[in-house]
Amino acid sequence: QVQLVESGGGLVQAGGSLRLSCAASGTTFIIAAMGWYRQAPGKQRELVAAITRRGSTDYADSVKGRFIISRDNAKNTVYLQMNSLKPEDTGVYVCNQVFQYNGADYWGQGTQVTVSS
């Protein structure tokens, strides 16, 4: 059974930091590409950050220089360090796992991040 479980969300003031975690189970984590998506009220889900199986990273322009995605293959966990948070970063952050070799695609339930001004 595949599970992606996010944690670390919460309420923070603008300028603050949060660290999100996504623990994966039921799959071969080391060969998966991982991503963090954001679902803001009234907006489409957008890709915030991604990391390949080899550790290459990519970020949405809106978070470049503020967010850092990383992975710990020994712990089957991907992280999102979010610094200098802004009210527009508010949303549900959802973890995604993709396997290129077969196209399998899995999603977590999400964790709420609220940034107050």
Side-chain angles (χ1 to χ4, degrees), residues 29-35 51-53 71 96-100:
F29 181 84
I30 196 169
I31 64 170
M34 303 296 298
I51 186 166
T52 68
R53 53 184 289 187
R71 63 191 296 160
N96 172 249
Q97 184 179 60
V98 177
F99 292 89
Q100 190 173 14

Side-chain angles (χ1 to χ4, degrees), residues 32 38 43 48 50-51 53-54 76 86-87 89 95 103 115 117:
R38 177 169 65 204
K43 295 186 178 180
V48 173
I51 186 166
R53 53 184 289 187
R54 292 179 174 83
N76 289 353
K86 304 176 181 180
D89 294 320
C95 180
V115 184
S117 56

Side-chain angles (χ1 to χ4, degrees), residues 58-91:
D58 194 20
Y59 299 91
D61 287 343
S62 61
V63 307
K64 281 181 181 176
R66 300 188 297 122
F67 291 11
I68 300 172
I69 188 171
S70 61
R71 63 191 296 160
D72 186 336
N73 291 334
K75 295 182 179 179
N76 289 353
T77 300
V78 63
Y79 304 97
L80 186 67
Q81 177 66 44
M82 304 187 296
N83 302 319
S84 302
L85 283 162
K86 304 176 181 180
E88 52 263 43
D89 294 320
T90 293

